[in-house]
């Protein structure tokens, strides 16, 4: 079967076996003659005009108002776009405009089916948001022609919603997280309602499935609300959707169970009255819930409203072609008439289709919309394409002086406990502009100092309800990521702490966000926003108790692959450096910041003064553990990461005893991006700076927290890489001891010392004389330590004592 087979357009779902009583749980409202004649006319004209423009954008490069008969040369050479979802998106936009105009509602529109860009762009042009930011898209014939002819062509708007789209806070490519982004956007925005359209294809994704629970983390006393609109048009690209084969009883049962009050909008013959009444009902329900909470009598487990909008896919488009259904089928998903440029019959069908909207009734002679359309359009900053929250809402964080929270060198302190105190102060100083989105691991990751001054914001738990908690804990990385994105893009700052192994779950979401940031940076009218801040801990080096499944540092590589101007990866070596780093990251704008560190107590190597200098430089020679403070070395040992650095320092101490003739320089790298070839990243070291740290010709051994191939990629553009060796996580692990994890990945002090002796022997004849003997002894120590671990079930008692350089 090459594609979905259907016996009729817009096929209905089979009846479920649920009892009819289930229907009583649907919100029942009176929709008959709900709208005034003028409102109905304006909505009809707006939707016709927007649908006309949407269809024209896919096909036309000229003759944009059908001033004459269409000919082949007026059709774009490549027909790109997604028509099927557009009519539904236009319908919702029109009705939101009506409510905003009538009531002054503050609303954003988040569109899950981002491939429906023509629908949103056409509405933005009609409301004249586009010309504010891009004067060439004026609300007249020349602006309309540019919009239509420039869609999905080189140099024009892309086929999906992105940062170039006014009002957008969601990259519209990958499906699944429009809903969680919407909930993040309304947090601490008490007057904002985000209308979020979830396509029925998107509703099949894992991220969306969990995001329905996000109402349980919305405190109506302090935050706005999301109005989810599940748009059921029945088809994906070539198959029916799950929602499309669910009848109303099943829909009501499912979403009532999630905690929603469901309203199904499906009266196609009277859709404007049905949808207008339903949106007004939903807004009134939202206001009712908020009023109760803000008057001190919150409703326990409120049933937030949601709409299920059933419309045919490709509604108002071509009905049938060559005996195959188009409207109400998967064939309208993208371009309904794909051969319109070369096939006379399809070209004639296109002419008839566009004429069916009556463009002469919709546009004046100068190309502007007729007055009846203008009547329902909001003005100024109330327009959904002009909302400040979407492009100029950044509120800088107030942060404490990290230096006042530092520790004396020589102490053993958990990096996470140290920054937990810092984050605690951030919460105190920013009670409405900072949140933590954590997949149920805040205490485990030793950041629980935060809970001294705030709590979790779980509204269905009596212990944390209505207390203004700054912590969102939900065991869904996808939902945390989506909320973080929505919160950040609407001007606030968030932090996402996680077990290292499971940050990879949001890899593609993070990439999509960075694409949005890239385009935003190239869009002159978008102002900066805060950075996405990831705190990666419970790392593979100390996940020996959980085993192989919890050992995975691959998220570092995911960030390294981003556009250089947005990617930042930090591996602070101790608590003081971590305090400096997080202070910087929480105040930085427009980046994806990844901070990697340990939650176990580890030595504080640097004073606060030295830590500051080190973090500013991104790397430095650590004189206290180098021979002659690192002058004229035979070999350079580089630690990147907390435990990796400890092993490098331990190796340097060991070599003082076993190979005193070897001149060792120890370097620590805290800012991974400095290793990039100069010119490839803003932080990259110049050739001279690189050589002053790592010498021009001596052997360099890197002990690296992540996968070695990542470091090879960073260093690949540097000259003389043949002198560099790298060890890191080698995908070896199990439930074992912490030091055995170092041994099995060849990152232990013994492995580092072996690399140092071999490298130093190339330049120092005294070292070369004894190299074989010392290397053999070091290998012997590896074997003896492994035997001890397997015999006693633990590491040697003194293995993690702070190394001494007597």
């Amino acid at each position: 079967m090459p594609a979905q087979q259907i016996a009729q357009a817009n096929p209905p779902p089979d009846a479920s076996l649920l009892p009819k009583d289930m229907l009583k749980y649907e919100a029942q409202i009176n929709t008959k003659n709900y709208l005034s004649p003028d409102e109905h006319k304006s909505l009809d004209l707006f939707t016709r005009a927007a649908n006309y423009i949407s269809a024209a954008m896919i096909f036309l490069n000229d003759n944009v108002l059908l001033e004459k008969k269409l000919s082949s040369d007026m059709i774009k050479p490549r027909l790109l776009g997604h028509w099927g979802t557009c009519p539904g998106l236009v319908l919702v936009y029109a009705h939101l405009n009506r409510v905003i105009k009538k009531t002054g509602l503050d609303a954003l529109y988040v569109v899950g089916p981002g491939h429906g860009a023509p629908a949103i762009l056409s509405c933005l042009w009609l409301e004249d948001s586009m010309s504010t930011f891009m004067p060439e898209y004026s609300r007249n014939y020349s602006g309309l022609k540019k919009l239509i002819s420039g869609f999905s062509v080189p140099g024009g708007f892309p086929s999906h919603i992105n940062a170039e789209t006014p009002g957008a806070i969601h990259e519209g490519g990958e499906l699944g997280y429009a809903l969680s982004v919407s909930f993040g956007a309304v947090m601490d925005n008490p007057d904002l309602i985000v209308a979020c359209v979830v396509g029925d294809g998107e509703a099949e994704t894992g991220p969306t499935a969990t995001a329905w629970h996000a109402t349980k983390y919305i405190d109506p006393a302090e935050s706005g609300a999301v109005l989810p609109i599940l748009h059921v048009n029945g088809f994906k690209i070539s198959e029916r959707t799950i929602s499309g084969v669910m009848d109303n009883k099943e829909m009501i049962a499912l979403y009532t169970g999630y905690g929603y009050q469901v309203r199904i909008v499906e009266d196609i013959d009277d859709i404007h009255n049905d949808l207008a009444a339903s949106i007004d009902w939903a807004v009134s329900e939202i206001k009712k819930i908020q009023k109760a909470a803000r008057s001190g009598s919150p409703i326990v487990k409120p049933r937030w409203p949601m709409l299920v909008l059933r419309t045919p896919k490709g509604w108002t488009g071509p009905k049938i072609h060559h005996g195959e259904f188009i409207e109400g089928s998967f064939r309208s998903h993208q371009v309904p008439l794909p051969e319109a440029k070369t096939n006379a019959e399809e070209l004639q069908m296109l002419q008839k289709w566009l004429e069916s909207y009556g463009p002469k009734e919709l546009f004046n002679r100068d190309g502007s919309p007729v007055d009846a359309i203008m009547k329902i359009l909001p003005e100024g900053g109330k327009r959904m394409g002009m909302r400040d929250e979407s492009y100029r809402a950044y509120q800088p964080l107030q942060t404490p002086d990290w230096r006042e929270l530092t520790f004396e060198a020589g102490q053993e302190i958990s990096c996470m406990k140290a920054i937990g105190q810092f984050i605690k102060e951030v919460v105190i100083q920013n009670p409405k502009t900072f949140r933590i989105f954590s997949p149920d691991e805040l205490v485990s990751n030793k950041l629980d100092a935060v809970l001294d001054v705030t709590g979790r914001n779980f509204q269905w738990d009596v212990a944390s309800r209505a207390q203004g908690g700054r912590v969102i804990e939900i065991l869904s990385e996808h939902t945390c990521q989506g909320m973080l994105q929505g919160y950040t893009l609407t001007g606030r700052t968030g932090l996402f702490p996680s077990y290292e192994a499971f940050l990879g779950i949001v890899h593609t979401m993070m990439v999509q966000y960075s694409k949005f940031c890239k385009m935003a940076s190239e869009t002159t009218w978008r102002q900066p926003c805060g950075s996405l801040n990831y705190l990666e801990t419970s790392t593979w080096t100390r996940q020996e108790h959980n085993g192989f499944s919890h050992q995975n540092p691959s998220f570092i590589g995911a960030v390294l692959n981003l556009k250089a101007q947005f990617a930042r990866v930090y591996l602070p070596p101790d608590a003081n450096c971590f305090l400096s780093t997080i202070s910087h990251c929480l105040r930085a704008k427009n980046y994806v910041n990844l901070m990697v560190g340990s939650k176990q107590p580890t030595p504080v190597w640097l004073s606060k003064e030295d830590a500051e200098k080190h973090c500013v430089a991104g790397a430095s020679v650590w004189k206290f553990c180098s021979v002659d403070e690192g002058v004229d070395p035979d070999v350079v040992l580089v630690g990147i990461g907390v435990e990796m650095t400890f092993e490098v320092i331990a190796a340097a101490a060991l070599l003082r005893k076993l190979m005193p003739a070897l001149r060792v320089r120890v370097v620590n790298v805290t800012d991974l991006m400095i290793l990039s070839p100069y010119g490839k990243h803003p932080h990259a070291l110049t050739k001279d700076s690189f050589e002053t740290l790592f010498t021009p010709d001596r052997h360099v051994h890197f002990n690296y927290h992540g996968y070695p191939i990542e470091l090879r990629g960073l260093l690949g553009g540097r000259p003389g890489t043949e002198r560099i060796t790298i060890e890191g996580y080698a995908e070896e692990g199990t439930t074992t001891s912490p030091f055995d994890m170092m041994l099995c990945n060849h990152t232990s002090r013994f492995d580092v010392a072996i690399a140092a002796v071999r490298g130093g022997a190339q330049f120092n004849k005294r070292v070369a004389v004894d190299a074989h003997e010392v290397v053999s002894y070091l290998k012997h120590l590896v074997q003896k330590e492994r035997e001890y671990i397997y015999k006693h079930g633990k590491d040697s008692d003194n293995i993690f004592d702070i190394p001494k350089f007597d």
Side-chain angles (χ1 to χ4, degrees):
M1 185 170 71
Q4 176 73 53
Q5 295 179 345
I6 55 175
Q8 66 181 90
N10 203 34
D14 293 332
S16 73
L17 300 178
L18 291 172
K20 289 183 179 180
D21 282 357
M22 186 58 62
L23 295 174
K24 71 183 181 183
Y25 292 102
E26 181 193 358
Q28 303 295 326
I29 59 177
N30 182 18
T31 66
K32 187 174 181 180
N33 298 324
Y34 186 80
L35 294 165
S36 70
D38 282 349
E39 285 181 316
H40 196 285
K41 179 181 178 182
S42 291
L43 287 165
D44 176 64
L45 291 174
F46 182 97
T47 54
R48 283 164 53 193
N51 284 336
Y52 173 86
I53 297 170
S54 300
M57 288 170 71
I58 295 172
F59 291 94
L60 303 185
N61 60 23
D62 199 1
N63 191 23
V64 296
L65 285 180
L66 300 184
E67 302 96 293
K68 48 192 172 183
K69 186 176 179 181
L70 289 176
S71 59
S72 175
D73 61 306
M74 299 170 186
I75 307 302
K76 293 175 180 177
R78 297 177 70 222
L79 301 181
L80 304 173
H82 295 75
W83 165 250
T85 191
C86 285
L89 298 179
V90 163
L91 182 68
V92 174
Y93 204 112
H95 280 264
L96 291 172
N97 273 344
R98 170 195 160 271
V99 177
I100 296 167
K101 176 78 170 183
K102 191 170 184 177
T103 68
L105 187 73
D106 293 326
L108 275 177
Y109 191 27
V110 171
V111 176
H115 50 273
I120 304 307
L121 293 170
S122 65
C123 294
L124 290 168
W125 183 85
L126 286 169
E127 74 178 22
D128 204 25
S129 288
M130 296 185 71
S131 68
T132 304
F133 303 114
M134 297 160 278
E136 64 271 27
Y137 293 101
S138 52
R139 195 165 57 179
N140 55 28
Y141 188 87
S142 64
L144 182 60
K145 181 176 180 180
K146 184 170 182 61
L147 176 65
I148 289 174
S149 63
F151 175 74
S152 275
V153 300
F157 278 106
S159 63
H160 287 61
I161 294 168
N162 72 349
E164 297 169 285
T165 310
I169 59 167
H170 174 52
E171 180 74 21
E174 180 177 300
L175 299 177
Y177 46 99
L179 200 53
S180 55
V181 167
S182 300
F183 279 104
V186 302
M187 289 177 180
D188 299 320
N189 267 332
D191 298 324
L192 184 66
I193 290 180
V194 173
C196 177
V197 173
V198 178
D200 50 351
E202 180 171 31
E204 298 179 7
T205 64
T208 298
T210 307
W212 291 111
H213 290 292
T215 53
K216 301 171 178 67
Y217 298 87
I218 295 295
D219 182 348
E222 66 184 6
S223 293
V226 175
L227 173 56
I229 303 172
L230 177 59
H231 184 208
V232 182
N233 60 33
F235 290 91
K236 302 189 285 285
I237 195 166
S238 64
E239 184 189 19
R240 296 180 74 178
T241 60
I242 293 174
S243 296
V245 297
M246 294 173 66
D247 70 5
N248 287 354
K249 290 183 290 183
E250 291 165 321
M251 285 286 189
I252 294 164
L254 176 62
Y255 293 103
T256 299
Y258 275 134
Y260 289 92
Q261 194 173 179
V262 183
R263 169 70 190 163
I264 296 176
V265 182
E266 60 180 348
D267 188 349
I268 297 301
D269 294 331
D270 194 19
I271 195 67
H272 288 306
N273 278 312
D274 196 355
L275 185 54
S278 298
I279 289 180
D280 282 356
W281 161 80
V283 171
S284 69
E285 289 297 307
I286 288 169
K287 297 297 185 184
K288 185 190 304 179
I289 294 168
Q290 292 176 337
K291 183 178 179 180
R294 295 169 192 181
S295 62
S297 302
I299 301 169
V300 175
K301 294 187 175 181
R303 293 181 61 210
W304 293 88
M306 71 164 288
L307 306 181
V308 177
L309 175 63
R310 292 190 185 271
T311 65
K313 196 172 185 81
W315 192 24
T316 74
K319 303 296 186 285
I320 296 177
H321 185 43
H322 293 315
E324 301 281 6
F325 298 111
I326 299 178
E327 181 189 87
S329 88
F330 62 90
R331 294 183 183 87
S332 65
H333 180 78
Q334 292 180 323
V335 181
L337 301 171
E339 306 298 327
K341 187 172 182 66
T342 57
N343 182 288
E345 183 182 0
E346 289 199 11
L347 182 62
Q348 185 178 5
M349 289 183 68
L350 176 60
Q351 176 94 31
K352 185 177 179 182
W353 172 18
L354 294 176
E355 286 177 342
S356 71
Y357 296 110
K360 292 181 180 179
E361 301 172 17
L362 306 173
F363 303 97
N364 298 312
R365 295 186 67 179
D366 65 355
S368 62
V370 298
D371 288 344
I373 291 176
M374 308 281 275
K375 285 182 179 179
I376 63 163
L377 298 180
E379 298 176 356
K382 290 290 185 180
R383 288 173 287 176
M384 288 187 286
M386 294 290 296
R387 296 294 312 179
D388 284 353
E389 295 93 342
S390 69
Y391 77 102
R392 58 174 186 185
Y394 178 60
Q395 302 173 64
L397 281 186
Q398 303 299 315
T399 57
D401 184 348
W402 64 271
R403 300 166 194 82
E404 296 179 359
L405 298 170
T406 52
F407 302 87
E408 294 294 324
Q411 294 182 263
E412 291 195 55
I413 301 294
S414 161
C415 292
M416 295 303 109
K417 279 194 170 292
I419 65 169
Q421 294 294 330
F422 180 88
I423 299 167
K424 171 182 171 180
E425 295 301 318
V426 172
V427 168
I428 292 170
Q429 295 182 31
N430 304 272
K432 295 299 179 184
T433 55
F434 177 73
R435 288 194 184 228
I436 299 168
F437 301 90
S438 173
D440 194 29
E441 292 155 0
L442 200 68
V443 174
S444 174
N445 286 329
K446 302 189 185 303
L447 298 167
D448 45 307
V450 172
L451 299 177
D452 293 343
V453 295
T454 189
R456 299 176 178 89
N457 203 317
F458 186 18
Q459 296 303 303
W460 278 36
D461 180 3
V462 66
S464 57
R465 179 182 303 139
Q467 296 178 23
R470 297 287 90 194
V471 179
I472 303 292
E473 282 196 340
I474 178 173
L475 198 52
S476 165
E477 285 81 2
H478 291 123
T479 302
C480 288
Q481 171 73 20
M483 288 177 172
L484 174 64
Q485 290 182 195
Y487 197 69
T488 303
L489 283 174
T490 50
R492 287 72 59 75
T493 305
L495 180 67
F496 187 151
S498 175
Y499 271 41
E500 177 178 71
F502 307 123
L503 264 180
I505 292 170
V506 299
H507 177 168
T508 59
M509 293 179 72
M510 179 269 295
V511 170
Q512 292 287 316
Y513 176 87
S514 73
K515 291 178 184 292
F516 191 94
C517 286
K518 176 188 181 294
M519 297 310 301
S521 71
E522 298 171 9
T523 305
T524 57
W525 47 271
R526 279 194 184 267
Q527 295 185 8
C529 63
S531 299
L532 280 194
N533 298 301
Y534 295 103
L535 185 55
E536 179 176 300
T537 187
S538 296
T539 62
W540 68 268
T541 56
R542 295 305 302 267
Q543 279 296 304
E544 78 290 338
H545 60 294
N546 276 324
F548 203 24
S549 65
H550 284 56
Q551 297 156 2
N552 175 8
S554 64
F555 197 69
I556 296 173
V559 178
L560 291 179
N561 287 332
L562 301 180
K563 194 77 172 176
Q565 73 187 87
F566 305 108
R568 302 289 187 271
V569 180
Y570 302 100
L571 295 101
D574 68 7
N576 286 348
C577 292
F578 223 116
L579 284 163
S580 172
T581 300
I582 195 167
S583 176
H584 165 74
C585 288
L586 291 182
R587 290 179 286 111
K589 299 187 288 256
N590 287 351
Y591 300 143
V592 174
N593 292 319
L594 174 61
M595 298 164 275
V596 184
S598 178
K599 67 183 182 183
Q600 304 299 333
T602 52
V604 176
W605 304 109
L606 303 181
S607 67
K608 63 183 176 182
E609 294 83 8
D610 289 338
E612 182 169 28
K613 294 175 185 176
H614 180 59
C615 291
V616 168
S620 64
V621 176
W622 281 15
K623 297 176 182 178
F624 73 89
C625 52
S626 301
V627 174
D628 287 344
E629 296 188 333
V631 174
D632 192 23
D634 299 321
V635 67
V636 180
L637 302 181
V638 188
I640 309 180
V642 172
E643 288 82 7
M644 301 300 103
T645 298
F646 185 96
E647 292 303 310
V648 165
I649 294 172
L654 184 63
L655 289 166
R656 294 277 183 99
K657 299 174 182 177
L658 298 180
M659 186 65 82
L662 181 63
R663 297 180 63 81
V664 174
R665 173 186 289 181
V666 173
V667 172
N668 177 264
V669 174
T670 185
D671 178 354
L672 195 58
M673 313 314 287
I674 68 163
L675 299 176
S676 303
Y678 185 64
K680 297 295 185 181
H681 191 278
H683 293 185
L685 295 173
T686 64
K687 180 176 181 294
D688 289 344
S689 295
F690 188 86
E691 290 184 354
T692 58
L693 270 178
F694 302 111
T695 75
D697 57 357
R698 292 303 191 259
H699 182 82
V700 183
H701 181 73
F702 285 88
N703 212 35
Y704 172 54
H705 178 85
Y707 288 98
I709 194 170
E710 297 163 356
L711 213 53
R712 292 191 185 100
L714 277 178
L715 294 165
R718 296 282 184 181
T721 54
E722 66 279 355
R723 67 191 176 100
I724 293 174
T725 55
I726 304 170
E727 293 293 349
Y729 183 62
E731 202 63 33
E732 293 292 341
T734 182
T735 301
T736 184
S737 74
F739 193 70
D740 193 34
M741 287 298 297
M742 300 296 103
L743 294 171
C744 65
N745 286 283
H746 305 292
T747 56
S748 76
R749 64 203 64 181
F750 305 128
D751 297 290
V752 174
I754 289 169
V757 171
R758 286 173 171 167
Q762 300 173 33
F763 297 93
N764 187 325
K765 292 179 180 179
R766 293 182 181 179
V767 172
V769 168
D770 295 323
H772 174 69
E773 179 183 332
V774 172
V775 166
S776 297
Y777 181 66
L778 288 166
K779 289 181 178 180
H780 172 70
L781 293 179
V782 169
Q783 186 59 34
K784 296 299 290 183
E785 190 62 39
R786 184 169 281 133
E787 289 174 0
Y788 181 92
I789 292 167
Y790 277 76
K791 180 178 180 179
H792 297 281
K794 68 182 186 69
D795 295 323
S796 299
D797 290 342
N798 302 320
I799 199 73
F800 290 118
D801 286 355
I802 298 177
K804 305 293 185 183
F805 293 88
D806 299 327

